[in-house]
Amino acid sequence: MPPFPMRRFLGGVFFLLALGFGPLAARAETALAAVAANFAETAEALVPLFREATGHDLVLTTGSTGKLYAQIGAGAPFDLLLSADAATPARLLDEGKAVAGSDFTYAIGRLTLWSGDAARIGTDGQAVLRDPDLRFVAIANPDLAPYGVAAREALESMGLWAALQPKIVMGQNIGQTHSLVATGAAELGFVALSAVKSPRAVTGGSRWDVPQALFTPIRQDAVLLNPGAGNDAARAFLAFLRSDQAARVIERFGYGAGG
């Protein structure tokens, strides 16, 4: 496999070739994209750039990766999936519901412990989690959301998973988890760094970016689903995701870019 920068370069080359010479430029189409909740805002920022670059359009449906997977299994006509993990696209490929060889990592998720209180979290995130006065800490449901899996792994690595069980409240996806903290239902929570860095965020608060050594990297993979196999817009968007232009947007929203 080519080294990472080369993979991104080749993705950009294929994208340009598609625009100039391939069938993608032949006619404008619209693709239906299932998008993990944590990536929704970033995807919304990418769509107009994609539309301008290709003439194609994209309609987004967002939700937890687990629920999107269930909808795809039930026959929802999505053309592509932007997952919050790598396992779900791999499972869809194994089940014959996606196009072989179309999966790739488009973003690396980053986990942060966040509070709406600017004075709540200092440089030692573990200290605030061990505070006996802590009432509630929010995480996404590990059975539905990869960021919930990462939060559980981080707490296990810190030796706090069992001790904090009575204090854990769960959101069904990472967006709902962020809302639990933003509204004060939980004093702090493990959320996507992208949500805290969002241009729409109205409260700064305080945060501790969870060290990568405490949890498995959150690879977010994209895959072309069977209904999108003949959809030019779906193929064009997956190519666009691997361009330098898309990478800059993805990084600005608090992710590591894939390639």
Side-chain angles (χ1 to χ4, degrees):
M1 179 178 293
F4 169 72
M6 181 60 70
R7 292 203 309 273
R8 185 185 294 177
F9 171 76
L10 290 175
V13 169
F14 293 146
F15 174 60
L16 293 174
L17 288 174
L19 291 184
F21 303 104
L24 300 179
R27 65 187 186 282
E29 290 194 28
T30 297
L32 304 180
V35 180
N38 72 285
F39 199 73
E41 189 173 3
T42 313
E44 290 169 3
L46 288 169
V47 168
L49 300 177
F50 167 68
R51 190 183 296 128
E52 181 180 0
T54 68
H56 294 303
D57 205 355
L58 200 70
V59 175
L60 308 178
T61 295
T62 62
S64 72
T65 293
K67 288 189 174 181
L68 293 173
Y69 169 77
Q71 291 173 16
I72 292 166
F78 297 124
D79 297 304
L80 61 100
L81 169 67
L82 302 187
S83 179
D85 66 0
T88 300
R91 189 180 308 129
L92 290 166
L93 287 165
D94 287 343
E95 293 170 350
K97 296 185 175 76
V99 177
S102 65
D103 58 317
F104 65 95
T105 299
Y106 67 91
I108 306 294
R110 293 172 178 161
L111 186 70
T112 192
L113 181 67
W114 175 66
S115 171
D117 181 350
R120 182 77 191 208
I121 302 175
T123 57
D124 185 356
Q126 296 194 40
V128 72
L129 289 166
R130 297 179 190 276
D131 183 350
D133 293 330
L134 174 65
R135 293 183 302 117
F136 298 113
V137 57
I139 73 170
N141 187 338
D143 293 332
L144 295 174
Y147 278 81
V149 174
R152 181 179 61 194
E153 288 181 353
L155 288 170
E156 288 171 343
S157 296
M158 290 183 278
L160 292 171
W161 176 249
L164 286 176
Q165 283 301 298
K167 301 180 178 183
I168 289 176
V169 293
M170 291 187 182
Q172 291 305 296
N173 57 51
I174 197 62
Q176 189 178 98
T177 305
H178 184 273
S179 295
L180 287 170
V181 182
T183 60
E187 297 116 293
L188 46 91
F190 289 91
V191 303
L193 178 60
S194 57
V196 177
K197 294 184 71 173
S198 165
R200 299 178 188 172
V202 294
T203 55
S206 55
R207 77 173 200 257
W208 175 64
D209 294 343
V210 182
Q212 183 62 77
L214 296 180
F215 63 97
T216 304
I218 306 171
R219 276 182 45 209
Q220 300 199 193
D221 281 10
V223 71
L224 182 66
L225 301 171
N226 288 346
N231 186 302
D232 289 346
R235 290 184 175 275
F237 185 73
L238 293 178
F240 177 72
L241 274 179
R242 304 178 82 162
S243 69
D244 286 340
Q245 182 182 19
R248 287 192 294 271
V249 174
I250 289 168
E251 290 169 348
R252 189 176 79 239
F253 275 82
Y255 297 91

